[in-house]
Amino acid sequence: MLKIENSSLSGVFLMPKEVEKHLASANANELKVLIYIFSHGGICDEAQMAKELGIPSADILSALAFWRGTGIVSYAKSEEVQVTVISETKPSEKTVSYSQQEIADAINGNEDVRSLMNFASQTIGKILTPNEQGIILSLIDSLSMGCDLVMGIIDYCCNTMDKKSVRYIERTAAKMHDEDGVDTYEKFEEYIARKSKEKTFENTVRSIIGAENRALTKTEREIIAGFAKADVSDELISIAYERTIGAIGKPSLSYMSKIIENWNTQGIKNKADLDGFKAFDEKDATGAFSLDDFTEKPDDLI
């Protein structure tokens, strides 16, 4: 068996598996044209292609007709690609327009951008349309993100969040930029580390209150975030949960929060501190609120 290895993946590009069905019937020029198209991200000038491949323009057109007939490639419906950078946290939207030639120039004229587009195509798992390439390019131009940062966000969306939509990637990048000030790869790494820690903490609290398999309400998520910010220990959360069950007979993060707030005012940060104080009277935790205050409905899943 012949095994072929490529020591570098930085300049790879993808082709759909459908191509395999047509290899036997494609001639040399048609194969050259196909490789050229995909190596340039699908944005090509016919005259430039003829010049670089040393193939007459008529043969270029014939090869394009062959691949269009197979359905592997098609002409874009518009020469202008308009991209809107969507921000979920700002009312204004910044629109950037690229011609297909401008996108091609950006890809062919910058090794970093070319590597970014190849990485995006490989990670998303398909050949990107000119509009999708424009969206990714706009993250560099509109949000002033480096190619390394955009690659990191693409990898995060596709492999961590399992979301491979370019629009989802765009929204995520805009949200990171606007809400968390993520504009460098170093800040992105800090963001990911923080989110990972928050997720681990949330899972721990879910396990304590027996809510592993249901959606949390917005209020519950805010309470858990407050626990994390205050660095409340797992041990105190467990004790607050036990006392909540003893007092009202059911799990309630709102009730637990009231207990923990009371402990916090007394300087209680861990079990050892708690053991040094008089046992907390859960009746004081309820104050003026009733059990109805703890009845919440899960938010719709997003």
Side-chain angles (χ1 to χ4, degrees):
M1 177 182 292
L2 178 64
K3 183 178 181 181
I4 300 175
E5 295 183 352
N6 186 346
S7 61
S8 173
L9 296 178
S10 61
V12 300
F13 61 88
L14 297 177
M15 285 189 182
K17 188 171 178 58
E18 186 73 14
V19 168
E20 186 178 2
K21 298 179 181 179
H22 307 286
L23 292 179
S25 57
N27 62 34
N29 286 342
E30 289 161 352
L31 291 174
K32 289 179 181 179
V33 167
L34 183 70
I35 293 173
Y36 186 95
I37 290 172
F38 283 96
S39 67
H40 285 72
I43 302 176
C44 310
D45 177 83
E46 293 170 4
Q48 184 67 21
M49 193 189 314
K51 180 179 178 181
E52 292 186 13
L53 294 179
I55 298 174
S57 294
D59 290 343
I60 293 290
L61 294 175
S62 176
L64 288 172
F66 172 81
W67 290 115
R68 288 177 65 197
T70 65
I72 299 298
V73 302
S74 62
Y75 287 142
K77 295 180 179 179
S78 171
E79 289 298 319
E80 189 78 11
V81 178
Q82 188 146 98
V83 179
T84 299
V85 179
I86 301 174
S87 169
E88 295 182 341
T89 59
K90 292 184 178 180
S92 61
E93 294 183 347
K94 184 174 181 181
T95 300
V96 183
S97 296
Y98 301 104
S99 68
Q100 292 192 35
Q101 187 58 52
E102 287 173 329
I103 295 175
D105 290 344
I107 294 173
N108 296 329
N110 188 307
E111 179 62 34
D112 289 339
V113 174
R114 185 161 57 252
S115 295
L116 167 61
M117 293 301 178
N118 285 332
F119 176 84
S121 181
Q122 184 175 13
T123 305
I124 294 171
K126 74 181 189 74
I127 303 301
L128 302 182
T129 66
N131 186 64
E132 290 172 328
Q133 290 176 328
I135 290 172
I136 292 175
L137 188 60
S138 73
L139 300 180
I140 300 172
D141 292 338
S142 298
L143 301 181
S144 299
M145 290 184 166
C147 290
D148 58 342
L149 172 55
V150 178
M151 286 183 183
I153 294 173
I154 291 171
D155 180 70
Y156 171 75
C157 291
C158 293
N159 296 322
T160 301
M161 304 304 294
D162 196 26
K163 302 287 187 180
K164 297 190 176 184
S165 162
V166 173
R167 281 296 184 186
Y168 181 89
I169 293 168
E170 176 195 23
R171 289 193 296 270
T172 299
K175 187 174 182 180
M176 286 184 182
H177 179 274
D178 294 345
E179 293 185 356
D180 299 278
V182 175
D183 55 9
T184 66
Y185 191 81
E186 289 72 21
K187 291 180 181 179
F188 170 72
E189 288 184 312
E190 293 171 0
Y191 171 89
I192 294 302
R194 183 172 69 255
K195 287 297 181 181
S196 177
K197 184 177 179 180
E198 290 174 357
K199 188 63 177 177
T200 299
F201 184 82
E202 178 186 301
N203 288 339
T204 297
V205 176
R206 278 178 172 274
S207 178
I208 290 172
I209 66 175
E212 296 96 329
N213 300 315
R214 71 166 176 84
L216 296 175
T217 68
K218 180 180 179 181
T219 300
E220 286 176 326
R221 289 196 298 269
E222 290 173 349
I223 291 172
I224 292 175
F227 289 166
K229 186 175 182 180
D231 198 25
V232 180
S233 69
D234 300 351
E235 195 171 41
L236 278 188
I237 293 174
S238 294
I239 296 172
Y241 170 74
E242 292 171 0
R243 296 196 175 191
T244 296
I245 295 298
I248 64 176
K250 67 177 182 178
S252 169
L253 278 169
S254 295
Y255 197 98
M256 289 168 60
S257 178
K258 200 71 176 179
I259 293 174
I260 291 173
E261 284 176 15
N262 188 290
W263 287 341
N264 187 58
T265 61
Q266 299 180 64
I268 297 172
K269 300 296 183 182
N270 51 52
K271 186 175 184 300
D273 292 338
L274 183 61
D275 291 340
F277 280 78
K278 183 179 178 180
F280 177 64
D281 185 356
E282 283 78 9
K283 293 181 181 178
D284 293 335
T286 61
F289 52 76
S290 68
L291 294 184
D292 291 338
D293 295 323
F294 306 125
T295 303
E296 303 169 13
K297 296 179 180 180
D299 297 336
D300 291 336
L301 292 175
I302 298 175

